[in-house]
Amino acid sequence: MRRDNWPKRTYNPAMAESIQVSLGDRAYRIHVGRGLDGLSAAVPASASKVIVTDKNVGRLYAQKISHMLNARVLTVPAGEGSKSLGQLESVFAQLLAPRDLDRQSVIVALGGGVIGDLAGFAAATLFRGVRYIQLPTTLLAMVDSSVGGKTAINHETGKNLIGAFHQPQAVWCDIAFLETLPTREYVSGLAEVIKTGVLSGSAFLAKLEQSASAIVARNDEVVTRMIADCVRFKAAVVEQDETEATGRRAMLNFGHTLGHALENLYPDRWLHGEAVAIGMVAALRLSVARVALDAAVAERVTRLLHVLGLPTEIPPELEAQAATAVMLGDKKRDGGAVGFVLLKALGEPVIQSCTIDSALLHTLMGPRDERT
Ligand code: ADP
Ligand code: ZN
């Protein structure tokens, strides 16, 4: 394999990539690179447009994008709390009150995963569905949540319980947005990148290992290639299983079962990617125990998570009982069993239904649990 798959050079605009998501009449392109060339041409001048953004992103970028698209701006508070029925009601009020929108209008989601989910769901349901464009501004949204048309808000009984599959018209991943993204948020997004590497196979993971320092330094070309590779992988999965019907798309939940449990248990302690990183280490441990994953592979992935600055440990104070309660509350539950995405080898995920019992929790929690 070539060592230098993601060369460190001055940014070359020709590096920009455009990836097709082939979904019949719902097909669209995802642009990855620096700048938003082609964005204004992609939105019909005659359509009325509304940018939905959050306070942080809006302060930095709303004026520029609003000017570029001749769009009005609707701002919501930053954070997961905005994925609520209350906030959705307020968004609809602000969308509808000026009476300037119709079925030809376009909603522009400018922000991270929270905005993509909220604005996407509003677009899915406004007038029974209007077009929307994703301008993801976090690494997590660029590599994961903006691809594939999942939109949702949370309910007090669980995350993402109210939503719709609604594919965007186009996605622009402008890496210039990442310049203002706080380090912790950027690193959190890297967890989904590593997840993609694990699911995709050894070659992808090797690229990540070889480029680790350039990734941390946010080198333009390396980051562009890395995002494009993740988008290509996810687009292919979504093309095979758009609505998570065959199990193929469910593979993307690798590390998410325990990750979601940790997020639910301790809502303010971890960012999504951090919880998923811990969940991946647990899933790797379970994979070694249940589906004979080579322990050296588990070790290799754990090391990469660590090198890129992600947490890998389940904290000792995490109580097995509480984890059980939350895991059984997961919407994918099936009797007393939970469908875990495990790994037979790099690039070979399998879904295994695991009964939640003390042996399973013991393996998930890792060796430190033996002390308690
Ligand atoms: P995620 O994309 O991880 O699901 P959010 O949508 O909640 O998460 O975004 C994470 C945080 O980062 C929010 O506080 C948001 O306002 C902020 N943010 C998003 N994009 C940028 C950016 N490009 N620069 C600075 N802050 C940003
Ligand atoms: Zn995720």
Side-chain angles (χ1 to χ4, degrees), residues 73-134:
V73 180
L74 191 167
T75 308
V76 305
E80 186 75 18
S82 282
K83 281 177 57 173
S84 67
L85 278 169
Q87 192 57 59
L88 183 70
E89 187 176 1
S90 155
V91 166
F92 278 134
Q94 295 175 72
L95 286 171
L96 293 166
R99 298 180 186 276
D100 58 343
L101 304 184
D102 56 31
R103 297 211 60 221
Q104 304 314 312
S105 300
V106 178
I107 290 179
V108 179
L110 172 68
V114 167
I115 290 299
D117 272 3
L118 175 69
F121 185 58
T125 46
L126 181 72
F127 309 138
R128 299 196 180 89
V130 297
R131 294 172 293 179
Y132 77 116
I133 287 179
Q134 294 262 28

Side-chain angles (χ1 to χ4, degrees), residues 227-240:
I227 295 169
D229 281 351
C230 290
V231 167
R232 234 185 313 273
F233 179 82
K234 182 156 181 190
V237 172
V238 169
E239 284 167 5
Q240 289 165 26

Side-chain angles (χ1 to χ4, degrees), residues 24-48:
D25 58 2
R26 295 174 309 293
Y28 56 98
R29 298 199 80 84
I30 300 178
H31 307 271
V32 184
R34 181 171 280 276
L36 293 164
D37 288 351
L39 172 62
S40 39
V43 189
S46 58
S48 41

Side-chain angles (χ1 to χ4, degrees), residues 54 56-57 60-61 78-80 111-115 137-138 140-141 177-178 180-182 185:
D54 74 24
N56 299 334
V57 179
L60 292 163
Y61 303 111
E80 186 75 18
V114 167
I115 290 299
T137 61
T138 64
L140 187 130
F177 288 132
L178 298 177
T180 52
L181 189 66
E185 296 285 351

